[in-house]
Amino acid sequence: MATARLLLLLMVAAAAGSYFCTGEEVIMGYGDELAEEPAPKPAAPYCGSVRMALEAHNIIGWKTVSADCADYVADYMTGERYQRDSDVVINEAVAYAESLKLSGKGKEIWVFDVDETALSTLPYQANHGYGAQPYDRTSFLRYVAGGSAPALQGTLRLYRRLLQLGIKPVFLTDRTEDQRAVTAHNLVQQGYCSWEKLLLQPFGLQTSTQAFKTGERQKLVSAGYVIIGNIGDQWSDILGSPEGCRTFKFPNPMYYVA
Amino acid sequence: MATARLLLLLMVAAAAGSYFCTGEEVIMGYGDELAEEPAPKPAAPYCGSVRMALEAHNIIGWKTVSADCADYVADYMTGERYQRDSDVVINEAVAYAESLKLSGKGKEIWVFDVDETALSTLPYQANHGYGAQPYDRTSFLRYVAGGSAPALQGTLRLYRRLLQLGIKPVFLTDRTEDQRAVTAHNLVQQGYCSWEKLLLQPFGLQTSTQAFKTGERQKLVSAGYVIIGNIGDQWSDILGSPEGCRTFKFPNPMYYVA
């Protein structure tokens, strides 16, 4: 029986090989396709597929929004879809939090990223191409120093619900220690009125955001906290053990932080 | 200075608190919103946001496609968007593989999931509501036993390119050992003509797919293999260390496997 199966396999392989397995065709890479086919399809559906691939962590390490998707990303960020995508994520996070039976010991925490998660830098991005222009550290730090970043309303809704439920918020950001005062001020002014911890990067730290955040979460767990949830707009916010009991990727097609 | 900052913080907190931080509003969960607002917006954009949330691993543990998104998912799976989303993922995977400098020792492998990654069960799903009907194990196993699942052409393109590059394919599936012959036959017939390993679950294994697959990847690494890439349509295919140097989430809004 096994021999018969093998024979069948070999016959099928041979038959298929002549058709399927020549392996001679030229495969185009992602960049090639863009270069050789500048406008074969409308930009929006294609850019929607790219956005999906960013959100699902398939496209990584990118520097700027590509020129052919710049208008799409600007429309997305300022339109209903960003709101709706965000609301679906937040609704899921709220439903999850409400489903939990807490220990009542006060050690359950929820980790929030800051930029593009708790606070929006959209007023800044609007003047800098919504990610289509290269990152300009100086002007971005100036925006942060202004302390005027508005709350993302969905995240604020999650934050308030967590407080009601007795889950304590921890803000964990790659903003640096020298930005502590302005960050605290900005958070409070926007309605994030209390927190268990506000953790910022030491100034001049030579590591990736993901390594920094993973290390900080490890310290929290070692200190007896239970990370019930973890939400951020970057995969570097939510990858790396201990990542938290559940993680939530908040939408952001404008920039990538490793 | 610190005192002045603290005073400012407290003043802002007090001012903000009266407006932002009452914490009294009723927050609706995800299910509530569906129940109380049956048709406030067109289904398609909302279902698109849900699909995004599934792909980004924000909504987990779901059993079936919700009734209000059944038509959307059917249209998605049979239309251009599924093809385009898949192509963007595959193009990225191909570009990544082409960018690598291999050791030449022949130990570099790429892990492929089978159902909805290498092979499509769409002919089956078409007769079972594209995920809107509850999973029916008997009829699904009958479909698998037929050995007629077509290749997903994008994945086949990636597979062929990897062979050209010298990266060896490993198929890792939650299909069980008793399905080995039909799975091998189906793969070969569809153009997946060779592999380094075809790893199936022991029949009757009492563990999650994620735990099984993570364990199998650990065995591969322990045996000296380098998992260059790992592609699957489920997060349980690509989460869990060692997950591989890079992971790729292939689209699938039809069903969820933990």
Side-chain angles (χ1 to χ4, degrees), chain A residues 13 20-21 23 25 33 45 49 51-52 58 81 84-85 91-92 160 164 188 191 193 246 248-249, chain B residues 13 20-21 23 25 33 45 48-49 51-52 58 84-85 91 160 164 188 191 193 246 248-249:
Chain A
F20 287 109
C21 292
E25 74 257 76
E33 186 182 45
S49 294
R51 185 171 57 80
M52 171 72 76
N58 288 319
R81 183 65 187 263
R84 200 165 45 228
D85 288 353
N91 289 348
E92 186 69 13
R160 289 174 178 161
Q164 289 175 334
V188 169
C193 299
R246 263 190 76 174
F248 295 89
K249 169 69 178 73
Chain B
F20 287 109
C21 293
E25 74 258 76
E33 187 181 43
S49 294
R51 185 171 57 80
M52 171 72 75
N58 289 319
R84 200 164 45 227
D85 288 353
N91 289 347
R160 289 174 178 161
Q164 288 175 335
V188 169
C193 299
R246 264 189 77 174
F248 296 89
K249 169 69 177 73

mmCIF file of all heavy atoms in Angstrom, chain A residues 13 20-21 23 25 33 45 49 51-52 58 81 84-85 91-92 160 164 188 191 193 246 248-249, chain B residues 13 20-21 23 25 33 45 48-49 51-52 58 84-85 91 160 164 188 191 193 246 248-249:
data_model
loop_
_atom_site.group_PDB
_atom_site.id
_atom_site.type_symbol
_atom_site.label_atom_id
_atom_site.label_comp_id
_atom_site.label_asym_id
_atom_site.label_seq_id
_atom_site.Cartn_x
_atom_site.Cartn_y
_atom_site.Cartn_z
ATOM 1 N N ALA A 13 4.134 13.600 -9.328
ATOM 2 C CA ALA A 13 5.227 14.567 -9.286
ATOM 3 C C ALA A 13 5.820 14.776 -10.673
ATOM 4 O O ALA A 13 6.088 15.898 -11.096
ATOM 5 C CB ALA A 13 6.310 14.097 -8.307
ATOM 6 N N PHE A 20 4.507 22.514 -13.547
ATOM 7 C CA PHE A 20 4.590 23.471 -12.449
ATOM 8 C C PHE A 20 6.012 23.834 -12.027
ATOM 9 O O PHE A 20 6.236 24.917 -11.535
ATOM 10 C CB PHE A 20 3.893 22.911 -11.202
ATOM 11 C CG PHE A 20 2.405 22.907 -11.309
ATOM 12 C CD1 PHE A 20 1.704 21.730 -11.438
ATOM 13 C CD2 PHE A 20 1.709 24.096 -11.268
ATOM 14 C CE1 PHE A 20 0.324 21.729 -11.518
ATOM 15 C CE2 PHE A 20 0.323 24.094 -11.344
ATOM 16 C CZ PHE A 20 -0.370 22.920 -11.462
ATOM 17 N N CYS A 21 6.940 22.877 -12.158
ATOM 18 C CA CYS A 21 8.160 23.004 -11.377
ATOM 19 C C CYS A 21 9.396 23.289 -12.206
ATOM 20 O O CYS A 21 10.483 22.840 -11.886
ATOM 21 C CB CYS A 21 8.355 21.756 -10.523
ATOM 22 S SG CYS A 21 7.093 21.657 -9.249
ATOM 23 N N GLY A 23 10.689 26.219 -12.506
ATOM 24 C CA GLY A 23 11.457 27.158 -11.683
ATOM 25 C C GLY A 23 12.257 28.149 -12.502
ATOM 26 O O GLY A 23 13.255 28.672 -12.055
ATOM 27 N N GLU A 25 10.863 30.884 -14.271
ATOM 28 C CA GLU A 25 10.293 32.210 -14.506
ATOM 29 C C GLU A 25 10.988 33.288 -13.674
ATOM 30 O O GLU A 25 11.575 33.008 -12.633
ATOM 31 C CB GLU A 25 8.780 32.228 -14.226
ATOM 32 C CG GLU A 25 8.441 32.198 -12.770
ATOM 33 C CD GLU A 25 7.996 30.831 -12.344
ATOM 34 O OE1 GLU A 25 8.883 29.957 -12.198
ATOM 35 O OE2 GLU A 25 6.805 30.641 -12.154
ATOM 36 N N GLU A 33 8.108 45.697 -9.068
ATOM 37 C CA GLU A 33 6.746 45.807 -9.556
ATOM 38 C C GLU A 33 6.328 47.276 -9.638
ATOM 39 O O GLU A 33 5.742 47.716 -10.613
ATOM 40 C CB GLU A 33 5.792 45.053 -8.625
ATOM 41 C CG GLU A 33 4.380 45.000 -9.146
ATOM 42 C CD GLU A 33 3.451 44.285 -8.172
ATOM 43 O OE1 GLU A 33 3.530 44.571 -6.974
ATOM 44 O OE2 GLU A 33 2.663 43.464 -8.631
ATOM 45 N N PRO A 45 -6.674 51.041 -3.827
ATOM 46 C CA PRO A 45 -6.766 49.638 -3.400
ATOM 47 C C PRO A 45 -5.386 49.034 -3.125
ATOM 48 O O PRO A 45 -5.217 48.307 -2.148
ATOM 49 C CB PRO A 45 -7.436 48.953 -4.589
ATOM 50 C CG PRO A 45 -8.109 50.034 -5.344
ATOM 51 C CD PRO A 45 -7.271 51.251 -5.140
ATOM 52 N N SER A 49 -3.861 47.563 0.457
ATOM 53 C CA SER A 49 -3.202 46.271 0.694
ATOM 54 C C SER A 49 -1.860 46.463 1.396
ATOM 55 O O SER A 49 -1.475 45.661 2.251
ATOM 56 C CB SER A 49 -2.991 45.537 -0.633
ATOM 57 O OG SER A 49 -4.236 45.182 -1.205
ATOM 58 N N ARG A 51 -1.191 48.968 3.402
ATOM 59 C CA ARG A 51 -1.521 49.336 4.783
ATOM 60 C C ARG A 51 -1.854 48.091 5.603
ATOM 61 O O ARG A 51 -1.405 47.935 6.743
ATOM 62 C CB ARG A 51 -2.695 50.320 4.808
ATOM 63 C CG ARG A 51 -3.040 50.851 6.189
ATOM 64 C CD ARG A 51 -4.051 51.974 6.108
ATOM 65 N NE ARG A 51 -5.265 51.571 5.438
ATOM 66 C CZ ARG A 51 -6.246 50.869 6.012
ATOM 67 N NH1 ARG A 51 -6.158 50.520 7.281
ATOM 68 N NH2 ARG A 51 -7.312 50.534 5.327
ATOM 69 N N MET A 52 -2.621 47.194 5.004
ATOM 70 C CA MET A 52 -2.923 45.924 5.670
ATOM 71 C C MET A 52 -1.637 45.171 6.017
ATOM 72 O O MET A 52 -1.490 44.637 7.121
ATOM 73 C CB MET A 52 -3.791 45.073 4.742
ATOM 74 C CG MET A 52 -4.019 43.654 5.194
ATOM 75 S SD MET A 52 -5.123 43.569 6.599
ATOM 76 C CE MET A 52 -6.673 43.874 5.752
ATOM 77 N N ASN A 58 3.848 42.521 8.206
ATOM 78 C CA ASN A 58 4.474 41.855 7.074
ATOM 79 C C ASN A 58 5.525 42.743 6.414
ATOM 80 O O ASN A 58 6.543 42.254 5.941
ATOM 81 C CB ASN A 58 3.404 41.463 6.049
ATOM 82 C CG ASN A 58 2.557 40.315 6.545
ATOM 83 O OD1 ASN A 58 3.065 39.366 7.146
ATOM 84 N ND2 ASN A 58 1.255 40.400 6.339
ATOM 85 N N ARG A 81 -12.067 56.226 8.108
ATOM 86 C CA ARG A 81 -11.551 54.869 8.223
ATOM 87 C C ARG A 81 -10.589 54.694 9.397
ATOM 88 O O ARG A 81 -10.630 53.675 10.099
ATOM 89 C CB ARG A 81 -10.865 54.463 6.904
ATOM 90 C CG ARG A 81 -10.350 53.048 6.873
ATOM 91 C CD ARG A 81 -11.500 52.051 6.960
ATOM 92 N NE ARG A 81 -11.024 50.678 7.109
ATOM 93 C CZ ARG A 81 -10.886 49.826 6.101
ATOM 94 N NH1 ARG A 81 -11.199 50.186 4.883
ATOM 95 N NH2 ARG A 81 -10.446 48.602 6.307
ATOM 96 N N ARG A 84 -12.676 54.486 12.417
ATOM 97 C CA ARG A 84 -13.412 53.232 12.512
ATOM 98 C C ARG A 84 -12.471 52.068 12.863
ATOM 99 O O ARG A 84 -12.786 51.238 13.712
ATOM 100 C CB ARG A 84 -14.132 52.975 11.186
ATOM 101 C CG ARG A 84 -15.260 52.006 11.273
ATOM 102 C CD ARG A 84 -16.134 52.105 10.026
ATOM 103 N NE ARG A 84 -15.316 52.162 8.832
ATOM 104 C CZ ARG A 84 -15.467 53.033 7.839
ATOM 105 N NH1 ARG A 84 -16.427 53.927 7.882
ATOM 106 N NH2 ARG A 84 -14.669 52.995 6.792
ATOM 107 N N ASP A 85 -11.321 52.033 12.192
ATOM 108 C CA ASP A 85 -10.341 50.991 12.506
ATOM 109 C C ASP A 85 -9.931 51.076 13.972
ATOM 110 O O ASP A 85 -9.796 50.051 14.658
ATOM 111 C CB ASP A 85 -9.094 51.138 11.618
ATOM 112 C CG ASP A 85 -9.348 50.734 10.174
ATOM 113 O OD1 ASP A 85 -10.444 50.223 9.868
ATOM 114 O OD2 ASP A 85 -8.441 50.941 9.339
ATOM 115 N N ASN A 91 -12.843 48.847 20.956
ATOM 116 C CA ASN A 91 -14.006 48.083 21.403
ATOM 117 C C ASN A 91 -13.598 46.680 21.838
ATOM 118 O O ASN A 91 -14.101 46.145 22.835
ATOM 119 C CB ASN A 91 -15.052 47.985 20.289
ATOM 120 C CG ASN A 91 -15.737 49.312 20.027
ATOM 121 O OD1 ASN A 91 -15.610 50.258 20.812
ATOM 122 N ND2 ASN A 91 -16.444 49.402 18.919
ATOM 123 N N GLU A 92 -12.699 46.096 21.074
ATOM 124 C CA GLU A 92 -12.235 44.750 21.414
ATOM 125 C C GLU A 92 -11.460 44.759 22.729
ATOM 126 O O GLU A 92 -11.632 43.864 23.577
ATOM 127 C CB GLU A 92 -11.360 44.209 20.271
ATOM 128 C CG GLU A 92 -10.924 42.782 20.423
ATOM 129 C CD GLU A 92 -12.066 41.777 20.281
ATOM 130 O OE1 GLU A 92 -13.159 42.154 19.828
ATOM 131 O OE2 GLU A 92 -11.853 40.607 20.660
ATOM 132 N N ARG A 160 -10.264 55.189 30.568
ATOM 133 C CA ARG A 160 -11.269 55.472 31.601
ATOM 134 C C ARG A 160 -11.964 54.196 32.062
ATOM 135 O O ARG A 160 -12.216 54.006 33.242
ATOM 136 C CB ARG A 160 -12.328 56.444 31.047
ATOM 137 C CG ARG A 160 -11.812 57.851 30.860
ATOM 138 C CD ARG A 160 -12.888 58.675 30.168
ATOM 139 N NE ARG A 160 -12.479 60.055 29.993
ATOM 140 C CZ ARG A 160 -13.035 60.883 29.120
ATOM 141 N NH1 ARG A 160 -14.001 60.466 28.325
ATOM 142 N NH2 ARG A 160 -12.615 62.122 29.017
ATOM 143 N N GLN A 164 -12.126 52.418 35.832
ATOM 144 C CA GLN A 164 -13.373 51.963 36.468
ATOM 145 C C GLN A 164 -13.264 50.509 36.914
ATOM 146 O O GLN A 164 -13.771 50.126 37.967
ATOM 147 C CB GLN A 164 -14.546 52.082 35.491
ATOM 148 C CG GLN A 164 -14.987 53.498 35.179
ATOM 149 C CD GLN A 164 -16.079 53.517 34.100
ATOM 150 O OE1 GLN A 164 -16.178 52.608 33.280
ATOM 151 N NE2 GLN A 164 -16.878 54.570 34.104
ATOM 152 N N VAL A 188 -2.004 64.643 31.245
ATOM 153 C CA VAL A 188 -3.016 65.093 32.219
ATOM 154 C C VAL A 188 -3.987 66.063 31.571
ATOM 155 O O VAL A 188 -5.211 65.954 31.749
ATOM 156 C CB VAL A 188 -2.314 65.724 33.441
ATOM 157 C CG1 VAL A 188 -3.339 66.439 34.326
ATOM 158 C CG2 VAL A 188 -1.579 64.657 34.227
ATOM 159 N N GLY A 191 -6.652 64.400 29.687
ATOM 160 C CA GLY A 191 -7.614 63.538 30.362
ATOM 161 C C GLY A 191 -7.044 62.263 30.951
ATOM 162 O O GLY A 191 -7.754 61.522 31.619
ATOM 163 N N CYS A 193 -5.466 61.300 33.650
ATOM 164 C CA CYS A 193 -5.231 62.080 34.876
ATOM 165 C C CYS A 193 -4.380 61.381 35.909
ATOM 166 O O CYS A 193 -3.900 62.013 36.852
ATOM 167 C CB CYS A 193 -6.572 62.441 35.491
ATOM 168 S SG CYS A 193 -7.570 63.447 34.389
ATOM 169 N N ARG A 246 -2.748 40.113 26.683
ATOM 170 C CA ARG A 246 -3.201 40.357 25.314
ATOM 171 C C ARG A 246 -2.590 41.655 24.820
ATOM 172 O O ARG A 246 -2.358 42.583 25.603
ATOM 173 C CB ARG A 246 -4.734 40.425 25.217
ATOM 174 C CG ARG A 246 -5.323 39.098 24.791
ATOM 175 C CD ARG A 246 -6.788 39.181 24.464
ATOM 176 N NE ARG A 246 -7.077 39.796 23.172
ATOM 177 C CZ ARG A 246 -8.293 39.865 22.652
ATOM 178 N NH1 ARG A 246 -9.319 39.363 23.318
ATOM 179 N NH2 ARG A 246 -8.494 40.437 21.482
ATOM 180 N N PHE A 248 -2.644 44.736 21.669
ATOM 181 C CA PHE A 248 -3.506 45.405 20.694
ATOM 182 C C PHE A 248 -2.661 46.352 19.850
ATOM 183 O O PHE A 248 -1.972 47.221 20.368
ATOM 184 C CB PHE A 248 -4.633 46.161 21.412
ATOM 185 C CG PHE A 248 -5.560 45.240 22.141
ATOM 186 C CD1 PHE A 248 -5.318 44.875 23.461
ATOM 187 C CD2 PHE A 248 -6.642 44.666 21.490
ATOM 188 C CE1 PHE A 248 -6.156 43.981 24.123
ATOM 189 C CE2 PHE A 248 -7.485 43.768 22.142
ATOM 190 C CZ PHE A 248 -7.237 43.434 23.469
ATOM 191 N N LYS A 249 -2.747 46.144 18.550
ATOM 192 C CA LYS A 249 -2.022 46.981 17.589
ATOM 193 C C LYS A 249 -2.948 48.097 17.138
ATOM 194 O O LYS A 249 -3.908 47.854 16.407
ATOM 195 C CB LYS A 249 -1.579 46.124 16.401
ATOM 196 C CG LYS A 249 -1.041 46.878 15.202
ATOM 197 C CD LYS A 249 0.293 47.534 15.481
ATOM 198 C CE LYS A 249 0.841 48.240 14.229
ATOM 199 N NZ LYS A 249 0.107 49.488 13.899
ATOM 200 N N ALA B 13 -4.429 69.192 36.116
ATOM 201 C CA ALA B 13 -5.187 67.987 36.420
ATOM 202 C C ALA B 13 -6.563 68.338 36.969
ATOM 203 O O ALA B 13 -7.577 67.750 36.584
ATOM 204 C CB ALA B 13 -4.418 67.121 37.427
ATOM 205 N N PHE B 20 -12.721 65.989 31.816
ATOM 206 C CA PHE B 20 -12.348 64.730 31.178
ATOM 207 C C PHE B 20 -12.537 63.503 32.062
ATOM 208 O O PHE B 20 -12.762 62.435 31.548
ATOM 209 C CB PHE B 20 -10.861 64.769 30.768
ATOM 210 C CG PHE B 20 -10.591 65.647 29.588
ATOM 211 C CD1 PHE B 20 -9.924 66.842 29.730
ATOM 212 C CD2 PHE B 20 -11.013 65.264 28.329
ATOM 213 C CE1 PHE B 20 -9.667 67.633 28.634
ATOM 214 C CE2 PHE B 20 -10.758 66.056 27.232
ATOM 215 C CZ PHE B 20 -10.080 67.256 27.380
ATOM 216 N N CYS B 21 -12.367 63.664 33.367
ATOM 217 C CA CYS B 21 -12.097 62.480 34.180
ATOM 218 C C CYS B 21 -13.220 62.092 35.115
ATOM 219 O O CYS B 21 -12.974 61.608 36.206
ATOM 220 C CB CYS B 21 -10.791 62.680 34.940
ATOM 221 S SG CYS B 21 -9.390 62.723 33.818
ATOM 222 N N GLY B 23 -15.359 59.773 34.501
ATOM 223 C CA GLY B 23 -15.392 58.309 34.475
ATOM 224 C C GLY B 23 -16.791 57.736 34.668
ATOM 225 O O GLY B 23 -16.953 56.614 35.114
ATOM 226 N N GLU B 25 -19.392 57.799 32.210
ATOM 227 C CA GLU B 25 -20.161 57.416 31.033
ATOM 228 C C GLU B 25 -20.224 55.899 30.867
ATOM 229 O O GLU B 25 -19.360 55.181 31.362
ATOM 230 C CB GLU B 25 -19.609 58.059 29.760
ATOM 231 C CG GLU B 25 -18.326 57.439 29.279
ATOM 232 C CD GLU B 25 -17.149 58.304 29.641
ATOM 233 O OE1 GLU B 25 -16.740 58.311 30.812
ATOM 234 O OE2 GLU B 25 -16.648 58.967 28.742
ATOM 235 N N GLU B 33 -22.390 47.036 20.715
ATOM 236 C CA GLU B 33 -22.541 47.954 19.599
ATOM 237 C C GLU B 33 -23.270 47.275 18.446
ATOM 238 O O GLU B 33 -24.177 47.849 17.849
ATOM 239 C CB GLU B 33 -21.172 48.441 19.143
ATOM 240 C CG GLU B 33 -21.265 49.521 18.102
ATOM 241 C CD GLU B 33 -19.891 49.964 17.637
ATOM 242 O OE1 GLU B 33 -19.029 49.105 17.413
ATOM 243 O OE2 GLU B 33 -19.703 51.168 17.514
ATOM 244 N N PRO B 45 -17.590 48.936 5.029
ATOM 245 C CA PRO B 45 -16.472 49.605 5.698
ATOM 246 C C PRO B 45 -16.240 49.087 7.111
ATOM 247 O O PRO B 45 -15.107 48.877 7.529
ATOM 248 C CB PRO B 45 -16.895 51.082 5.724
ATOM 249 C CG PRO B 45 -17.942 51.203 4.679
ATOM 250 C CD PRO B 45 -18.627 49.879 4.617
ATOM 251 N N GLY B 48 -14.594 45.840 6.898
ATOM 252 C CA GLY B 48 -13.198 46.040 6.536
ATOM 253 C C GLY B 48 -12.352 46.339 7.758
ATOM 254 O O GLY B 48 -11.212 45.866 7.873
ATOM 255 N N SER B 49 -12.895 47.116 8.682
ATOM 256 C CA SER B 49 -12.166 47.414 9.921
ATOM 257 C C SER B 49 -12.026 46.169 10.784
ATOM 258 O O SER B 49 -10.987 45.960 11.421
ATOM 259 C CB SER B 49 -12.888 48.519 10.705
ATOM 260 O OG SER B 49 -12.854 49.735 9.991
ATOM 261 N N ARG B 51 -11.924 43.117 9.598
ATOM 262 C CA ARG B 51 -10.922 42.275 8.914
ATOM 263 C C ARG B 51 -9.506 42.751 9.253
ATOM 264 O O ARG B 51 -8.608 41.952 9.532
ATOM 265 C CB ARG B 51 -11.153 42.305 7.403
ATOM 266 C CG ARG B 51 -10.241 41.370 6.631
ATOM 267 C CD ARG B 51 -10.662 41.282 5.180
ATOM 268 N NE ARG B 51 -10.690 42.567 4.530
ATOM 269 C CZ ARG B 51 -9.617 43.206 4.064
ATOM 270 N NH1 ARG B 51 -8.419 42.657 4.164
ATOM 271 N NH2 ARG B 51 -9.727 44.378 3.484
ATOM 272 N N MET B 52 -9.321 44.080 9.222
ATOM 273 C CA MET B 52 -8.020 44.642 9.609
ATOM 274 C C MET B 52 -7.642 44.206 11.026
ATOM 275 O O MET B 52 -6.491 43.828 11.288
ATOM 276 C CB MET B 52 -8.097 46.175 9.537
ATOM 277 C CG MET B 52 -6.908 46.893 10.102
ATOM 278 S SD MET B 52 -5.474 46.739 9.056
ATOM 279 C CE MET B 52 -5.961 47.878 7.761
ATOM 280 N N ASN B 58 -5.754 41.631 16.660
ATOM 281 C CA ASN B 58 -6.459 42.352 17.713
ATOM 282 C C ASN B 58 -7.724 41.620 18.145
ATOM 283 O O ASN B 58 -8.092 41.655 19.312
ATOM 284 C CB ASN B 58 -6.816 43.763 17.231
ATOM 285 C CG ASN B 58 -5.585 44.633 17.127
ATOM 286 O OD1 ASN B 58 -4.709 44.583 17.989
ATOM 287 N ND2 ASN B 58 -5.485 45.409 16.055
ATOM 288 N N ARG B 84 -4.871 40.757 -4.138
ATOM 289 C CA ARG B 84 -3.937 41.884 -4.020
ATOM 290 C C ARG B 84 -3.257 41.882 -2.652
ATOM 291 O O ARG B 84 -2.051 42.072 -2.556
ATOM 292 C CB ARG B 84 -4.696 43.185 -4.264
ATOM 293 C CG ARG B 84 -3.844 44.348 -4.647
ATOM 294 C CD ARG B 84 -4.696 45.458 -5.235
ATOM 295 N NE ARG B 84 -5.884 45.657 -4.440
ATOM 296 C CZ ARG B 84 -7.124 45.779 -4.916
ATOM 297 N NH1 ARG B 84 -7.349 45.707 -6.211
ATOM 298 N NH2 ARG B 84 -8.136 45.975 -4.107
ATOM 299 N N ASP B 85 -4.048 41.673 -1.599
ATOM 300 C CA ASP B 85 -3.464 41.605 -0.248
ATOM 301 C C ASP B 85 -2.424 40.482 -0.180
ATOM 302 O O ASP B 85 -1.353 40.651 0.411
ATOM 303 C CB ASP B 85 -4.556 41.351 0.801
ATOM 304 C CG ASP B 85 -5.440 42.571 1.033
ATOM 305 O OD1 ASP B 85 -5.143 43.652 0.485
ATOM 306 O OD2 ASP B 85 -6.444 42.438 1.768
ATOM 307 N N ASN B 91 5.102 39.433 -2.268
ATOM 308 C CA ASN B 91 6.162 40.271 -2.839
ATOM 309 C C ASN B 91 7.171 40.662 -1.764
ATOM 310 O O ASN B 91 8.382 40.695 -2.013
ATOM 311 C CB ASN B 91 5.558 41.528 -3.464
ATOM 312 C CG ASN B 91 4.796 41.235 -4.739
ATOM 313 O OD1 ASN B 91 4.904 40.140 -5.288
ATOM 314 N ND2 ASN B 91 4.025 42.197 -5.201
ATOM 315 N N ARG B 160 8.795 28.618 -5.203
ATOM 316 C CA ARG B 160 9.721 28.390 -6.331
ATOM 317 C C ARG B 160 10.950 29.286 -6.223
ATOM 318 O O ARG B 160 12.070 28.864 -6.503
ATOM 319 C CB ARG B 160 9.006 28.670 -7.651
ATOM 320 C CG ARG B 160 7.974 27.633 -8.011
ATOM 321 C CD ARG B 160 7.226 28.087 -9.246
ATOM 322 N NE ARG B 160 6.246 27.102 -9.681
ATOM 323 C CZ ARG B 160 5.230 27.382 -10.478
ATOM 324 N NH1 ARG B 160 5.057 28.619 -10.928
ATOM 325 N NH2 ARG B 160 4.383 26.444 -10.835
ATOM 326 N N GLN B 164 14.992 28.321 -5.879
ATOM 327 C CA GLN B 164 16.051 28.903 -6.720
ATOM 328 C C GLN B 164 17.178 29.483 -5.874
ATOM 329 O O GLN B 164 18.355 29.403 -6.216
ATOM 330 C CB GLN B 164 15.476 30.017 -7.600
ATOM 331 C CG GLN B 164 14.585 29.555 -8.727
ATOM 332 C CD GLN B 164 13.954 30.732 -9.469
ATOM 333 O OE1 GLN B 164 13.794 31.821 -8.908
ATOM 334 N NE2 GLN B 164 13.596 30.516 -10.720
ATOM 335 N N VAL B 188 2.248 17.958 -4.058
ATOM 336 C CA VAL B 188 3.028 17.657 -5.265
ATOM 337 C C VAL B 188 2.213 17.965 -6.518
ATOM 338 O O VAL B 188 2.697 18.592 -7.469
ATOM 339 C CB VAL B 188 3.496 16.184 -5.256
ATOM 340 C CG1 VAL B 188 4.068 15.790 -6.612
ATOM 341 C CG2 VAL B 188 4.534 15.975 -4.161
ATOM 342 N N GLY B 191 2.237 21.513 -7.440
ATOM 343 C CA GLY B 191 3.474 22.180 -7.821
ATOM 344 C C GLY B 191 4.500 22.305 -6.716
ATOM 345 O O GLY B 191 5.616 22.761 -6.958
ATOM 346 N N CYS B 193 6.833 20.497 -5.290
ATOM 347 C CA CYS B 193 7.333 19.191 -5.712
ATOM 348 C C CYS B 193 8.342 18.562 -4.778
ATOM 349 O O CYS B 193 8.639 17.373 -4.887
ATOM 350 C CB CYS B 193 7.955 19.317 -7.101
ATOM 351 S SG CYS B 193 6.760 19.866 -8.318
ATOM 352 N N ARG B 246 12.031 36.073 10.053
ATOM 353 C CA ARG B 246 10.900 36.953 9.746
ATOM 354 C C ARG B 246 9.652 36.115 9.572
ATOM 355 O O ARG B 246 9.720 34.970 9.113
ATOM 356 C CB ARG B 246 11.148 37.797 8.477
ATOM 357 C CG ARG B 246 11.677 39.184 8.823
ATOM 358 C CD ARG B 246 11.720 40.094 7.633
ATOM 359 N NE ARG B 246 10.410 40.623 7.264
ATOM 360 C CZ ARG B 246 10.237 41.546 6.317
ATOM 361 N NH1 ARG B 246 11.294 42.027 5.674
ATOM 362 N NH2 ARG B 246 9.034 41.984 6.014
ATOM 363 N N PHE B 248 5.466 36.050 8.204
ATOM 364 C CA PHE B 248 4.517 36.657 7.266
ATOM 365 C C PHE B 248 3.127 36.102 7.531
ATOM 366 O O PHE B 248 2.914 34.890 7.502
ATOM 367 C CB PHE B 248 4.953 36.394 5.827
ATOM 368 C CG PHE B 248 6.267 37.049 5.500
ATOM 369 C CD1 PHE B 248 7.469 36.376 5.713
ATOM 370 C CD2 PHE B 248 6.311 38.354 5.041
ATOM 371 C CE1 PHE B 248 8.688 36.987 5.450
ATOM 372 C CE2 PHE B 248 7.527 38.977 4.775
ATOM 373 C CZ PHE B 248 8.710 38.297 4.984
ATOM 374 N N LYS B 249 2.210 37.024 7.775
ATOM 375 C CA LYS B 249 0.808 36.665 8.022
ATOM 376 C C LYS B 249 0.055 36.748 6.699
ATOM 377 O O LYS B 249 -0.171 37.838 6.180
ATOM 378 C CB LYS B 249 0.217 37.634 9.050
ATOM 379 C CG LYS B 249 -1.299 37.563 9.225
ATOM 380 C CD LYS B 249 -1.752 36.286 9.879
ATOM 381 C CE LYS B 249 -3.272 36.286 10.093
ATOM 382 N NZ LYS B 249 -4.025 36.098 8.826
#
